[in-house]
Amino acid sequence: MGRDVVAGAFSREDRIRYRQKVRRCLDVFALMLDDFGFDADRPMTGLEIELNLVDSAAEPAMRNEEVLAAIADPLFQTELGRFNLELNANPRLIGGSGFTGYQKDLIGSLDRAGERAARFDATIVMVGILPTLTERHLVADNLSTDERYRALNDQIVGARGEDIELDIRGVERLQTHTDSIAPEAACTSLQFHLQVPPDSFADYWNASQAIAGVQVAVGANSPYLYGRQLWAETRIALFEQATDTRPDELKAQGVRPRVWFGERWVTSIFDLFEENVRYFPPLLPICDDEDPVDVLHAGGVPELSELRLHNGTVYRWNRPVYDIMDGRPHLRVENRVLPAGPTVVDMLANAAFYFGLARSLAESDRPIWSQLTFSSAEENFHAAARRGMDAVLHWPRLGEVPVSRLVLDVLLPKAAAGLDRFGVDPAERDRLLGIIEQRCRTGRNGAVWQTEAVWAAERHRGMDRSAALHHMVKRYAELQRTNEPVHTWPID
């Protein structure tokens, strides 16, 4: 949802025109799927990492405008909170040594950005939820100054018509209210993009949905919010609640949430865009001057701006993407389930596991979605977010199985086979999937390390929870810079 917008009220005419334009875009998209030449010859991948800025006391640093100006790199953008940045890696093929290329680029970009941030007493930390955030940090005044975030806040809060309730029950319980979407800024994620051809998009999206729970379990890195230990991946619950436009009455009526796992396996990317248009009213009814029918008939490539903007305000955990690069349209699965961090190599291990496993399952002779119910996939997703490495998931022919056993015995070989189909160097494949294997054998991911480090600070150093969290974040930032995988980090 990166378009420039102007905050303020939208008129009834704006909404009517936008709805008509979105439906016109949807009709054109259907025509394009039938006979248009989408770019699908070489399956490019992409990564986005949302980042936190912290000061020397491990508190969030509300300095993203100054830091971005100093970085002066278009790969870095604003995010929702004034303590957030986003890094967009240059898209690349993962065949051969593609992951090493990603690692070099990401470390180089982060090092340069870190040097600039230090001028403002700020350090960049990659973590799913910054553990030192409190309610006083996550308020409307700390939203980024970009008008699109203010407009989005006004529309979500206005659609709900009342304060947003946060009620997350985990190891401990958090129950509070907010009058803005600012708590969403706590959710800093790692997003993967995988370019796919139209005729296989549904297979890749279905596969991504089927493995979302496994991804979250092994990659969880968000156990704390407002000083409380909640879910292993609290970011899932927080994001679902912090952007919920529905008051209780609409929830009771079964109105769908805008942060949405979905409700069925699909047969085409069109199913997802059509659901978005059918179920969700517009949040930002902004139209441009393009007539997509005229562009299509003239042999051009329609921008479909209204359809894309609307799609960007429906927060599927696996989002369909229509985009244009160098004048050619393409389709992508945007996988949004994982938190940022702990290290670049941990994130690339997560990427290798996702890309390899998604391809293996999408190209399987017997699709996983013909054996796993959609409701089971969704239940796995939330069970994994709650329990992380301790999750027990449902899997065809295995029944209820601990996630570590599922990964080690079944899914890692499939991920390796998928990476082989991408042409990834065997040494690269084994290096990154070996990190996933060791997380499962040790039972330690980012969430586990964080909770163990806080426990040790409380028990062995006599710290209260707040002091322990600040101590842990400082140590986390130090270890992050080593780029050693989190399962090897010491607890001290």
Side-chain angles (χ1 to χ4, degrees), residues 179-339:
D179 62 0
S180 77
I181 64 169
E184 182 195 337
C187 303
T188 40
S189 66
L190 168 65
Q191 298 162 24
F192 302 136
H193 292 257
L194 179 58
Q195 184 179 326
V196 295
D199 58 358
S200 61
F201 182 94
D203 295 340
Y204 277 89
W205 187 84
N206 289 340
S208 298
Q209 291 285 98
I211 63 175
V214 179
Q215 285 183 267
V216 169
V218 299
N221 194 31
S222 312
Y224 292 102
L225 177 64
Y226 294 169
R228 293 175 175 83
Q229 183 182 347
L230 301 170
W231 294 10
E233 191 48 42
T234 305
R235 184 182 58 90
I236 301 297
L238 177 59
F239 193 48
E240 288 177 342
Q241 295 182 22
T243 55
D244 199 340
T245 59
R246 306 168 302 161
D248 289 343
E249 294 82 2
L250 292 184
K251 294 178 187 178
Q253 292 173 35
V255 172
R256 289 144 178 100
R258 293 194 90 98
V259 178
W260 198 31
F261 190 80
E263 59 192 17
R264 64 188 176 109
W265 306 118
V266 301
T267 58
S268 166
I269 188 174
F270 184 81
D271 295 348
L272 301 172
F273 279 99
E274 191 274 335
E275 283 181 347
N276 289 353
V277 174
R278 177 156 41 107
Y279 293 144
F280 299 102
L283 285 181
L284 300 172
I286 302 163
C287 294
D288 68 16
D289 295 329
E290 177 191 78
D291 186 325
V293 175
D294 288 347
V295 173
L296 186 64
H297 287 166
V301 179
E303 292 283 342
L304 306 182
S305 299
E306 294 80 10
L307 187 66
R308 292 160 70 187
L309 177 59
H310 188 59
N311 184 54
T313 62
V314 179
Y315 304 100
R316 295 178 182 271
W317 293 109
N318 283 291
R319 176 186 277 164
V321 176
Y322 166 85
D323 206 351
I324 302 168
M325 182 69 68
D326 298 327
R328 294 192 65 187
H330 67 264
L331 306 177
R332 303 195 303 266
V333 177
E334 181 185 8
N335 179 258
R336 301 161 48 83
V337 306
L338 286 173

Side-chain angles (χ1 to χ4, degrees), residues 1 3-10 15 80 143-159 181 282-286 309 313 315:
M1 207 275 301
R3 295 183 59 188
D4 292 332
V5 302
V6 177
F10 296 103
R15 295 184 182 280
L80 182 60
L143 293 176
S144 290
T145 56
D146 191 309
E147 289 291 338
R148 73 182 186 268
Y149 299 122
R150 305 283 170 169
L152 186 65
N153 177 73
D154 292 347
Q155 293 303 304
I156 288 178
V157 174
I181 64 169
L283 285 181
L284 300 172
I286 302 163
L309 177 59
T313 62
Y315 304 100

Side-chain angles (χ1 to χ4, degrees), residues 68 71-78 86-90:
L68 277 171
I71 293 172
D73 182 342
L75 295 179
F76 286 85
Q77 303 290 332
T78 58
E86 180 178 273
L87 169 57
N88 295 279
N90 285 314

